[in-house]
Amino acid sequence: MEISKEQILVNRLLKKEETAWKELFGAYSGNLTYVCSRYITGRDNVHDVLQNSFIKMFNSIGSFEYRGEGSLKAWLTRIVVNESLKHLKQNMNSGNFTDVLEIPDVPNEEEPNLEEIPKPVMMEMIRQLPDGYRTVFNLFVFERKSHKEIAEDLGIAENSSASQLHRAKAMLVRKVNEYKMSKKAQYG
């Protein structure tokens, strides 16, 4: 059985080779920055969370179990998500996970085709959501966590998670529709 590049990198990381850590950073920092910035706003905060994440990776690499191609990336991503959530919990009051806005329900048939929206624009729309909405939305959509898991992670009620997600989606629908209207007005 052939050993993958990822497995070789993991073996070098386990030996705490400095060049291996530089390779890891070079190969994964862009993606991990993207993951982190889905949860955390502000460049300095993203930098701090990533720095804490890399320290956690370095200190806990010994507990990493290689399970095939992609398992390293999954492990790194999980650490960044957990460190992002830790940062959010430490830096926000619990009011940020309550219903902060009354957003009218949007019927499902009005949901826009998100494929029409450029990825960076969509990402910015997600980043503009209130902290609680953004966090629940990211955990549900990108991390594929259930409302029960989200509630446990954030220390909120399960129905609060569902409500936050519903409102985040409604807010995004409104933002997407506004974007499409502005593009239509711009280009006729």
Side-chain angles (χ1 to χ4, degrees), residues 20-69:
W21 285 97
K22 285 180 181 175
E23 270 179 53
L24 175 96
F25 186 82
Y28 293 98
S29 64
N31 181 55
L32 296 175
T33 300
Y34 177 80
V35 169
C36 184
S37 66
R38 287 196 323 244
Y39 294 91
I40 307 296
T41 57
R43 188 184 317 213
D44 290 344
N45 290 332
V46 169
H47 180 266
D48 290 348
V49 170
L50 284 174
Q51 187 171 1
N52 290 340
S53 298
F54 277 102
I55 290 168
K56 180 113 181 181
M57 291 166 201
F58 184 80
N59 290 333
S60 58
I61 188 68
S63 67
F64 173 71
E65 232 179 279
Y66 184 77
R67 294 189 174 131
E69 198 66 33

Side-chain angles (χ1 to χ4, degrees), residues 1-2 14 20 85 100 109 111 117 123 146-147 166 182 187:
M1 184 196 278
E2 190 176 317
L14 287 167
L85 294 177
V100 292
E109 63 267 18
E111 287 193 16
I117 309 296
M123 182 65 195
S146 68
H147 288 299
H166 177 74
S182 73
Y187 298 109

Side-chain angles (χ1 to χ4, degrees), residues 95-109:
N96 288 352
F97 286 107
T98 59
D99 300 333
V100 292
L101 294 172
E102 280 302 317
I103 297 173
D105 287 349
V106 177
N108 286 342
E109 63 267 18

Side-chain angles (χ1 to χ4, degrees), residues 32-153:
L32 296 175
T33 300
Y34 177 80
V35 169
C36 184
S37 66
R38 287 196 323 244
Y39 294 91
I40 307 296
T41 57
R43 188 184 317 213
D44 290 344
N45 290 332
V46 169
H47 180 266
D48 290 348
V49 170
L50 284 174
Q51 187 171 1
N52 290 340
S53 298
F54 277 102
I55 290 168
K56 180 113 181 181
M57 291 166 201
F58 184 80
N59 290 333
S60 58
I61 188 68
S63 67
F64 173 71
E65 232 179 279
Y66 184 77
R67 294 189 174 131
E69 198 66 33
S71 61
L72 178 62
K73 182 178 179 182
W75 182 73
L76 299 171
T77 300
R78 193 167 48 253
I79 288 175
V80 170
V81 169
N82 289 338
E83 288 298 308
S84 296
L85 294 177
K86 190 166 127 186
H87 175 85
L88 286 170
K89 284 181 190 174
Q90 290 171 345
N91 294 290
M92 62 169 45
N93 59 35
S94 60
N96 288 352
F97 286 107
T98 59
D99 300 333
V100 292
L101 294 172
E102 280 302 317
I103 297 173
D105 287 349
V106 177
N108 286 342
E109 63 267 18
E110 283 187 36
E111 287 193 16
N113 177 2
L114 299 182
E115 301 300 315
E116 298 172 13
I117 309 296
K119 192 174 179 179
V121 172
M122 193 69 223
M123 182 65 195
E124 188 54 36
M125 288 178 188
I126 293 169
R127 288 176 52 83
Q128 290 172 4
L129 292 171
D131 291 345
Y133 293 6
R134 184 179 64 250
T135 303
V136 170
F137 181 85
N138 283 315
L139 289 170
F140 189 86
V141 173
F142 295 107
E143 311 308 328
R144 294 184 166 87
K145 290 193 175 221
S146 68
H147 288 299
K148 182 178 181 179
E149 293 169 315
I150 294 169
E152 288 170 5
D153 286 350

